[in-house]
Amino acid sequence: MTAIRVLLLFVFGLIFPSVNAEELKIDIGPNDTIVVPRHEIVIRIDGKLDEPVWGQLPAYDEFVVIEPDTLGSTPHETLVRFFYDSRGLYFGVDMKQPGETLVARLSGRDGRELNRDSINLTLDTSGEGRYGYWFGVNLGGSLMDGTLLPERQFSSDWDGAWRGESAVTADGWSAEMFIPWGTVTMPQVDEKRRIGMYMSRKVAYLDERWGWPGLPSTIPKFISALQSLEVSNVAPRQQFSIYPFAAAASDRIDDQINYRVGADFFWRPSTNFQLTATVNPDFGIVESDEVVLNLTATETFFQEKRLFFLEGQEIFIATPRSDTRGQGVGNRGAPTTMVNTRRIGGRPVEPVLGSGVTVPDRELIQPTELIGAVKLTGQSGRFRYGFLGAFEDEVKFDGVSNGNPVNLKGEGSDYGVMRFLFEDNAGGAYRSVGVLSTAVKHESGDAFAYGLDGHYLSETGKWKVDGQVFMSDIDGVENGLGGFLDFEYTIRKGVSQRLGIEYMDDKIDINDLGFLQRNDTFRIRSSHIRTSSNLSWARDNQFDVRGFVQRNRDSLFTGGGIFFSNRSTFNGLSRLTVRASFLPKSFDDLNSFGNGDYRIENRADASIGWDSDSSKQVSFGASAGFKDENLGGNTYIANANVTWRPSDRFGIALSTGYQDRDGWLLHQANKDFTTFKAEQWTPKISVDYFLSARQQFRASLQWVGIKAKEDEFFLIPDRPGDLIAATKPPGPSDSFSLSQLSLQLRYRWEIAPLSDIFVVYTRSSDQGAALRNRSFSDVFSESYDEPLANIFVVKIRYRFGS
């Protein structure tokens, strides 16, 4: 019946084109398939619904409130219209809302952290709930996009060649989107094609999200429950594009200018195959990482930011553990993944140094240039596949030998990733099995990893199971084995239970191309999450309790704990977050850096934080807390932030953190440990100014400073047990200071889709020294003495092709 109604209304609109668009508004049933009208017409994507075709199309308003998850009716209309032609899908959305309540805030692409008015579209282009894409237009014209995997794994790690724009209207605002068929992956079909659709609207002044269909995050199903659309005879053209670029970088440390010319290539001969490649790439314009000072034995994970490695990355995401980003109140920890593309072009393999030869740290942490990289993705029936290859250039090190400068050379590494995935959703349940292998080849030795993963989602979505086993094969090292199995059960809307079991032997090592925070562990972890909405005292509340226990191969209890988190969003849209945890006595087998195992004491921590309504021009927050140190002593923590956005084009954010540590335990050398009394400051400021939605200037400055004074001294016992109190070893003081500074000035002008001009200045430093009664102002000023990077880059890229 819906298809007939749509057809009749479309014909009616052609006969009577002057009819009011709202008179064409229709309702649909929950299981109806909408046959999308086809109309071969060119429209201008400017956000204004002023072309005659929009007035001839039926309008849908099926939105309900999904954040909070009341599923109640919405106070303002959201009228959605769409059609398609041989080039792609068109969406026009008319959003009613009082003008004085509109919140427009410009940002760079994929700026999901801002509270602002937006309209978002999700498409299941597989037609079977296997994969999809999402697109967003914010009021003001800033765009967002990304990919989707079952059942609700959203990622921003994709930028597509589509168009979207917004416009303010007399009774709210409107948006237009054009999604070319060639931008997304789709299976081959003969005639009729099913596409799943979901739309959500963020209303910032209410801090609510409305959705069609009503699929809040507190229910298990998403991509398999989207609104069904039907299109016919869609045969996208073969696409080929080349993106040549030229870049010039002025290195103010080495006092030299480097020129770089290269190109990116894109070829899509059909909707189910895509090849991308880059030759002589330049990644000097990417946004700088957060400043982190990590003095532990466990590695810090940094997200990928380079566009080439982001696009099409979803096929290499083998399990939900590969991406631990989320919006819940609970802390999810570090990822476990066989593919961490930040390894490619990262720190070089350190050269073997002769007697009397030294190489400064700046040379050892420099990024490695790439000769090129290639990536292909595709599907055939229920099989999907992907391949990634990358090749590093030769590495040059400037060192010193007996007081004289020397030039050393080292080989770069070659990387390869292969992925196959079989998916099936017979009977409404989703099942898949995947194979993933990685290879890193270097003259010092090769490293391979092989993985097998499986996934299951029940027909109702209540049961979800994900698992993976993997093996490492590294030259000169015994093969290692590891794996995990994760279960999730949704008890009812807003209530879920998770259980995870993992085992890693002491030889498993996937970190040449992947990320694994530790091996030699058997761990069980669990979490329970409850989300409640429409309470008498709050708009919504989320309570999260999780815990874990683990031991190593020697049967030592190496960690455990229980963690409580609660976040309340009040009716005035301010938020209160409370956290508390307890960790029992355990053995630390990592932070002695291979010099023995030692016991650490019971520990507890707690914090409370408050944040104001983020839709206001001025928003602010603060938190305070404490935590116990490993051998006793307390650390007190305070954080504060304020954001001022006087207009949609300008914003400034200030934040700072402070820690007062008593009993900070750090390994020194061999079996020696020292505790410290320390202070740490982490101020940060960022300023954004937009000439338009496509032109952004951003300045960011972050500094981390630590001043630590030695206190007590300990030795690691010969057998696992308590650290042994000792006198200070001979030698200089263990007291120290650390200072790390990062400054980046960044301008981007998107002159056309995927064509842009970048101007970037980056300066960073990493200073460490013995402490000699210096103030924090001394520590800060010394961060400028020996910068690690001082580079000015200009890059121009332009797209040619179909």
Side-chain angles (χ1 to χ4, degrees), residues 34-53:
I34 301 176
V35 179
V36 183
R38 181 163 185 158
H39 201 87
E40 298 292 338
I41 185 174
V42 177
I43 67 172
R44 181 183 179 187
I45 305 299
D46 57 6
K48 302 175 183 178
L49 307 181
D50 51 5
E51 289 86 1
V53 66

Side-chain angles (χ1 to χ4, degrees), residues 56 238 267 273 313 381 391 457 639 655 690 697 761:
Q56 300 164 5
Q238 174 176 290
W267 179 46
F273 180 82
Q313 190 186 56
F391 316 96
L457 180 71
N639 297 281
S655 65
F690 291 83
F697 173 78
Y761 173 70

Side-chain angles (χ1 to χ4, degrees), residues 374-409:
V374 62
K375 176 171 52 185
L376 63 87
T377 58
Q379 70 175 78
S380 177
R382 299 195 177 278
F383 284 93
R384 286 197 289 144
Y385 55 88
F387 170 79
L388 170 65
F391 316 96
E392 292 179 343
D393 201 354
E394 184 181 70
V395 185
K396 299 178 181 179
F397 303 92
D398 294 330
V400 177
S401 176
N402 299 318
N404 299 313
V406 294
N407 295 316
L408 306 176
K409 293 183 179 181

